[in-house]
């Protein structure tokens, strides 16, 4: 057995809020055919959903999408999977929903990848001769996860960042014949992820990134949400990251959605329903 085969290859991850992205087109013709007072009432009713329910630890935000891919994107952060259903049904129950056409959606969960701690711990256990998946190994993993979970609470259950603009897209790591992220040894993946994190950290204060994992939930492996007050930062950061080895060699991207946040009192204006 090689050293790599004796190490677990799966990085530890921590999961936090459940996340639903919903992209919609507004049926403008039908919407505009409504009376001004109906539009006002319907917009006001929908605006109530934005913000959140502290008791249920659920938060929702709405963004106006640029371009043909949609008009509105709702982002919901929820404490449980069931809560995602509830929030979806709440929106379906509004009168505004009658005028919305689904354009896309994405289901995922906030994920913190623990490459550094995983490799350190796997090495220690390996040196002690503790074989993977034995009770001793499981106990050590549980202990590390517990410690990290406590330390990372605010990153696992964040508020939707309060920046003006959002950029959301799903992505995969390549699993091709010649380039396959999943067959690289964990130490090499850790090295490349560390390089990625160093580039990202240079944008601290300018952008907030939230990575959600979607393996088993949606068509891509991760969702990336970037929030910033300056939309140009999205281009600068993503372009710079294209040169990271992990992106240059292993990243595949889905559709990008870019837009601007609307607070509850701005929804009526966007829907042309202001007084
Ligand atoms: O294997 C995996 O765990 C992949 C999950 C993953 C993807 C991903 C893609 C992007 N990120 C982008 C921005 C940033 C910024 C920071 C940053 C740091 C990390 C860390 C992990 C991580 N990213 Fe990432 N990113 C993924 C995972 N990323 C792990 C390190 C620690 C952490 O923050 O959790 C710096 C954050 C800070 O410290 O302030 C900014 C962007 C992309 C998509 C573009 C690309 O070329 O990959 C942008 C998938």
């Amino acid at each position: 057995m090689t050293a790599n085969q004796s190490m677990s290859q799966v990085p530890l991850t921590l999961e936090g809020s459940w996340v639903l992205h919903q992209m919609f087109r507004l049926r403008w013709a039908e919407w505009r055919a409504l009376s001004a007072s109906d539009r006002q009432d319907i917009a006001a009713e929908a605006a109530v959903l934005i913000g959140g329910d502290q008791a249920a630890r659920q938060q929702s935000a709405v963004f106006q999408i640029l371009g043909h891919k949609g008009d509105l994107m709702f982002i919901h952060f929820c404490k449980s999977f069931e809560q995602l259903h509830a929030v979806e049904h709440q929106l379906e129950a509004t009168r505004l929903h009658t005028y919305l056409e689904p354009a896309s959606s994405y289901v995922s969960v906030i994920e913190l990848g623990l490459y550094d701690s995983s490799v350190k711990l796997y090495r220690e256990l390996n040196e002690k001769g503790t074989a993977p998946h034995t009770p001793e190994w499981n106990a050590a993993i549980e202990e590390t996860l517990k410690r990290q979970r406590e330390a990372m609470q605010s990153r696992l259950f964040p508020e939707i960042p309060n920046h003006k603009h959002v950029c959301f897209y799903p992505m995969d790591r390549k699993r091709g014949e010649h380039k396959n992220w999943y067959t690289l040894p964990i130490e090499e993946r850790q090295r490349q992820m560390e390089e990625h994190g160093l580039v990202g950290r240079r944008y601290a204060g300018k952008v907030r990134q939230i990575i959600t994992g979607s393996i088993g939930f949606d068509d891509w492996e991760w969702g990336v949400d970037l929030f910033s007050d300056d939309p140009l930062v999205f281009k600068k950061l993503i372009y710079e990251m294209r040169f990271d080895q992990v992106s240059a060699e292993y990243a595949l991207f889905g559709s990008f959605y870019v837009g601007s946040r609307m607070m509850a009192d701005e929804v009526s204006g966007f829907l042309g329903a202001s007084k």
Side-chain angles (χ1 to χ4, degrees), residues 217-255:
F217 301 130
D218 222 312
D219 300 343
W220 296 76
E221 295 173 343
W222 286 279
V224 178
D225 277 289
L226 303 174
F227 299 87
S228 179
D229 290 326
D230 176 2
L232 251 196
V233 170
F234 301 144
K235 176 179 184 294
K236 300 276 181 203
L237 167 64
I238 297 168
Y239 185 47
E240 190 172 350
M241 282 194 168
R242 288 287 203 272
F243 297 90
D244 288 0
Q245 192 177 359
V246 68
S247 296
E249 295 187 17
Y250 298 102
L252 294 171
F253 297 92
S255 290

Side-chain angles (χ1 to χ4, degrees), residues 11 13 111-115 155 169 171-173 181-182 193 196-205 207-209 211 222-224 226 234 237-238 241-242 244 246-248 251 253:
T13 57
E111 175 185 292
L112 297 180
L114 303 177
Y115 265 106
R155 293 190 58 202
Y169 50 98
M171 60 180 289
D172 281 347
R173 294 284 184 232
W181 175 247
Y182 294 90
M193 286 306 292
H196 164 83
L198 289 176
V199 172
R201 254 179 261 156
R202 286 214 295 278
Y203 287 79
V207 72
R208 181 73 199 287
Q209 125 274 27
I211 300 296
W222 286 279
V224 178
L226 303 174
F234 301 144
L237 167 64
I238 297 168
M241 282 194 168
R242 288 287 203 272
D244 288 0
V246 68
S247 296
F253 297 92

Side-chain angles (χ1 to χ4, degrees), residues 91-120:
L91 185 56
E92 278 163 9
T94 62
R95 278 179 296 162
L96 178 65
H97 195 264
T98 323
Y99 301 92
L100 297 178
E101 204 162 280
S104 191
S105 68
Y106 207 76
V107 178
S108 52
V109 63
I110 289 186
E111 175 185 292
L112 297 180
L114 303 177
Y115 265 106
D116 285 353
S117 319
S118 309
V119 167
K120 253 184 234 148

